[in-house]
Amino acid sequence: RILTLSPPHEISMKSLLHLSGAAALTLALAAPLSAQLEPGSEVTSLGPVGGNAISAAINPDDPDEILVVSLPKGILRSTDGGVTFGLSNYGSGIGTDVRELIPSPADTATLFARAGNRVYTSTDFGASWTDTGLVGLYSTLKSLAVASNGSDLLALDAFNVYHSPDGGATWNTVLQVVPFGGTVLGAVAYAPSNASVAYMEAGNDGLYRSDNGGANFVLTTAALPGGVDGMLVSDSDPDTVFFGSNFNGLRVTDNGGGTVSPVPGAPTGNGQWLVSEPDGSLWYATLQDLHHSTDGGTTWTSVIAGLHPLTPIPAALALAPDGTRYLCAESNSLFADQTGGGLYRMPAGPPSSWDHIAFLASPIPVAAIPVPGGQRVVGFGNGIYTADPGEDLASTALFLFDT
């Protein structure tokens, strides 16, 4: 907990006194207003308190409109490209238990949301939502996929796969496994280039494939020992599918599930998700790293510059129409303060550095006490940030048990 008292400048930091939270608060309240914030100075919002983001959608018709799922607040909306966000759940007809937003490939204004054991749809980019009527038999849906035609949908819980041929108007259970019998369903995905082809992974049981939009599935001969964490169907080839994993590295099938092989030289570690960009480059997230490949997975580069020193857990990646990348991240802090999680941004083009733009951290016990020279000091839940006037805040070496 931090406090400095000195002549007025702007919101500040450096010249620190280590104080207890109570002492800092007492002194802050006792300080004259001129020592706390200079009249006419501008205050920059660091985003809603929270520190995590798990899913995002960017409006193709208005890239400044961004929807982000931040637990436990639900959907938060920005209309200025992520500079500011609303502080409460956005959109009527939906609660805060949202886990994923999926834009329809067929209609720029249509979104689908996975929340609890239900699926919701919006035709006005999240302003209002309609419950599609699906009620999963188990408490949480684990995965949701939307075909390129915008009509075929697939959702699954741990033991059941549900298909809708009409955008969620009706649902059918198309595959079931024995509950708690050893098989647990994991993820489902459509082929972007062929709405008829879909895949569903069932852990050690292997890979299922559908060739009729998800109306039924057939178990392939592909073996997936250790299960799958992250699955991606190639944008251009419906028979090529990549699979992340916790202990078996990155694997691929190029024959629609006939065989699965390791990807030589691919990153190892706890897989999280895979995403492809329009130019065919790939992103692969592991628990504490983010990797990029421009050659179909033959070589990979770690891209974590700009992320918090306590490397956050990559939760999802959303792409804007102009190629700007938005990374949703969850905290990897040893404490429950969510430091480092939030929303990061990277411009289009070759991978560069991530810019932490929203949901910075929670809580912020003390901030904004002026010091000579104008340096700024902000104390987050388990760290101290500092910057000279006009520069962005950067983390210092004081973290964890130092603060």
Side-chain angles (χ1 to χ4, degrees), residues 248-267:
N248 294 282
L250 186 64
R251 295 168 286 184
V252 65
T253 177
D254 59 7
N255 52 17
T259 57
V260 172
S261 305
V263 177

Side-chain angles (χ1 to χ4, degrees), residues 76-148:
L76 302 180
R77 178 178 182 243
S78 173
T79 58
D80 52 17
V83 177
T84 60
F85 279 85
L87 300 179
S88 59
N89 189 40
Y90 175 71
S92 60
I94 196 169
T96 60
D97 189 26
V98 180
R99 292 296 185 271
E100 184 178 19
L101 298 174
I102 301 180
S104 170
D107 182 5
T108 56
T110 297
L111 292 172
F112 296 91
R114 174 169 60 90
N117 64 344
R118 297 176 179 271
V119 173
Y120 295 80
T121 183
S122 171
T123 58
D124 50 17
F125 207 77
S128 60
W129 294 89
T130 300
D131 188 336
T132 65
L134 172 65
V135 180
L137 295 181
Y138 291 85
S139 59
T140 301
L141 295 175
K142 300 178 64 177
S143 183
L144 174 66
V146 183
S148 58

